[in-house]
């Protein structure tokens, strides 16, 4: 059950269309490529690397964050996962909390609070915790994450505030994105498999989920001046919304586009080179953690299947609300 505005988009047949007085939607593969190539992505158009503490995030800082996050994920998934009962409850929220506990709970207080969902949901608590970490990031306790070490190593008030912001954004973006992907896959695989039975090719199932229910389903370009010569519908004052969700479902690009068919990825060495398939965004703004997403989602689902996680909600329908990440909402339980 898609939110009404998403359902309206899915019902459109045209590939270039006006959403409102100042926004144009695009799902035409070649035009998307031209728009992406027309100019570099702006700092304000990025989710993680948008300005923080009143200043742009420098390239060196962004690179350090990517490397640290990769180290933390690789180290985390080598550790035994938390008790699987943590996956019971409302998805994708249960999966988000589970991933944060698995990957980032080793950090000392108050840094570990930065990735707690109960904190991140409250702007007031977030400000208090951010301030506490800036003043006292905790000692260099053994087993802490590389992301936390970037906070401790930051010099100066601005650098420390930005390191705190990057920790929060990186952990949230990774865990929320993986939880959304894993939840979407769990729902799509549900009717076709026996309870607690993992598919033969879980990786292919995740790629097919990225096609049919991509968490990163829309990307904005906020300044249309560079695109006015590419299509008559786009004016200089327009914002442009690029829709992988629509492109991934169009019959011009895909056979049986609305069917969940993981076998379509069998033998595909590099799925990202598949025409009209952009699961991690577009050149210049591609997801900085894309190399971590599918392996971590596969690990999470393996834990879920090994411990008998099943969907409790009715199998026929589930809610897909209007959010920045496209994710199916349902209840699941261990051995339910």
């Amino acid at each position: 059950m898609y939110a009404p505005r998403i359902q309206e988009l899915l019902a459109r047949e045209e590939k270039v269309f006006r959403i409102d007085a100042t926004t144009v939607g695009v799902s035409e593969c070649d035009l998307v490529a031209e728009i992406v190539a027309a100019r570099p992505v702006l700092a304000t158009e990025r989710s993680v690397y948008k300005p923080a503490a009143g200043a742009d995030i420098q390239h060196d800082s962004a690179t350090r964050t990517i490397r640290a996050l990769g180290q933390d994920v690789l180290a985390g998934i080598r550790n035994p996962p938390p008790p699987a009962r943590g996956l019971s409850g409302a998805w994708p929220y249960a999966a988000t909390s589970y991933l944060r506990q698995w990957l980032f709970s080793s950090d000392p207080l108050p840094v570990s609070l930065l990735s707690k969902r109960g904190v991140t949901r409250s702007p007031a608590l977030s400000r208090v915790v951010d301030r506490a970490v800036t003043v006292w990031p905790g000692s260099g306790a053994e087993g802490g994450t590389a992301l936390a070490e970037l906070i401790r190593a930051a010099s100066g008030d601005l650098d420390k505030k930005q390191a705190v912001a990057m920790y929060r954004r990186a952990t949230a973006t990774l865990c929320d994105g993986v939880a959304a992907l894993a939840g979407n896959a769990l729902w799509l695989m549900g009717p076709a498999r026996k309870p607690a039975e993992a598919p033969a090719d879980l990786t292919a199932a995740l790629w097919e989920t990225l096609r049919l229910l991509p968490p990163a389903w829309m990307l904005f370009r906020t300044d249309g001046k560079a695109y006015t010569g590419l299509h008559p519908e786009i004016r200089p004052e327009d914002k442009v919304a690029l829709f992988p969700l629509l492109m991934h479902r169009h019959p011009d690009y895909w056979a049986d586009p609305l069917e969940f068919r993981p076998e379509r990825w069998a033998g595909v060495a590099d799925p990202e080179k598949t025409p009209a398939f952009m699961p991690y965004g577009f050149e210049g703004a591609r997801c900085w953690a894309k190399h971590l997403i599918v392996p971590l989602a596969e690990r999470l689902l393996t834990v879920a299947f090994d411990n008998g996680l099943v969907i409790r909600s009715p199998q026929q329908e589930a809610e897909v609300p209007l959010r920045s990440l496209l994710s199916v909402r349902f209840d699941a339980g261990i051995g339910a």
Side-chain angles (χ1 to χ4, degrees):
M1 298 182 293
Y2 294 97
R5 293 191 66 181
I6 299 176
Q7 190 62 54
E8 290 171 7
L9 290 170
L10 292 172
R12 288 183 176 273
E13 296 182 0
E14 63 269 44
K15 297 177 185 175
V16 182
F17 51 91
R18 183 158 292 279
I19 297 174
D20 56 38
T22 61
T23 309
V24 174
V26 178
S27 62
E28 202 283 318
C29 181
D30 292 336
L31 181 56
V32 165
E34 291 177 346
I35 289 172
V36 167
R39 66 162 171 82
V41 63
L42 304 177
T44 53
E45 294 169 338
R46 298 179 182 273
S47 58
V48 176
Y49 298 130
K50 62 186 178 183
D56 289 340
I57 300 294
Q58 299 301 310
H59 182 268
D60 288 349
S61 176
T63 301
R64 287 194 296 271
T65 300
I66 295 171
R67 290 174 177 170
L69 185 66
Q71 293 174 31
D72 293 338
V73 170
L74 293 176
I77 61 177
R78 285 195 293 265
N79 294 328
R85 62 178 178 272
L87 291 172
S88 294
W91 276 61
Y93 306 121
T96 296
S97 298
Y98 187 88
L99 285 167
R100 289 176 173 179
Q101 180 184 357
W102 193 355
L103 300 176
F104 304 109
S105 63
S106 64
D107 284 330
L109 288 171
V111 173
S112 62
L113 296 177
L114 290 171
S115 63
K116 298 294 185 184
R117 184 169 176 268
V119 173
T120 59
R121 293 179 67 189
S122 167
L125 279 177
S126 294
R127 287 192 294 270
V128 170
V129 171
D130 285 2
R131 177 59 180 166
V133 176
T134 302
V135 174
W136 175 66
S139 62
E142 184 178 354
T145 65
L147 278 175
E149 180 57 36
L150 293 181
I151 298 175
R152 291 189 289 266
S155 59
D157 189 53
L158 175 61
D159 287 347
K160 196 168 290 292
K161 287 181 179 179
Q162 289 200 328
V164 169
M166 294 296 281
Y167 182 106
R168 184 187 293 286
R169 293 175 187 176
T171 55
T173 301
L174 178 76
C175 294
D176 291 350
V178 170
L181 172 59
N184 292 352
L186 190 63
W187 177 263
L188 289 171
M189 290 185 288
R193 66 176 180 84
K194 296 177 182 178
E197 180 184 282
D201 190 347
L202 186 52
T203 302
L206 286 166
W207 283 112
E208 179 69 344
T209 300
L210 283 167
R211 183 191 69 83
L212 197 57
L213 287 175
W217 62 286
M218 176 184 65
L219 287 89
F220 263 123
R221 293 293 184 266
T222 57
D223 186 349
K225 290 192 292 292
Y227 314 134
T228 55
L230 302 179
H231 194 278
E233 186 67 45
I234 304 175
R235 303 174 305 201
E237 65 272 19
D238 281 335
K239 300 184 291 291
V240 178
L242 308 174
F243 289 105
L245 176 66
L246 305 186
M247 188 167 60
H248 290 181
R249 290 165 168 253
H250 204 287
D252 284 357
Y253 307 131
W254 303 91
D256 302 318
L258 300 185
E259 292 188 13
F260 180 66
R261 291 175 45 194
E263 63 272 14
R264 75 173 80 232
W265 300 102
V268 179
D270 188 351
E272 283 195 87
K273 291 185 178 179
T274 303
F277 184 55
M278 297 183 180
Y280 297 120
F282 309 100
E283 293 295 338
R286 189 157 290 180
C287 175
W288 40 269
K290 70 184 188 71
H291 61 293
L292 305 172
I293 301 297
V294 168
L296 189 52
E298 187 170 354
R299 185 77 173 91
L300 176 65
L301 286 174
T302 299
V303 173
F305 292 137
D306 286 349
N307 287 274
L309 186 81
V310 295
I311 296 172
R312 288 173 174 159
S313 301
Q315 289 283 331
Q316 290 77 19
E317 57 186 30
E319 180 186 6
V320 181
L322 183 65
R323 297 287 189 274
S324 57
L325 286 175
L326 190 76
S327 57
V328 181
R329 303 303 203 252
F330 59 85
D331 288 327
I334 298 298

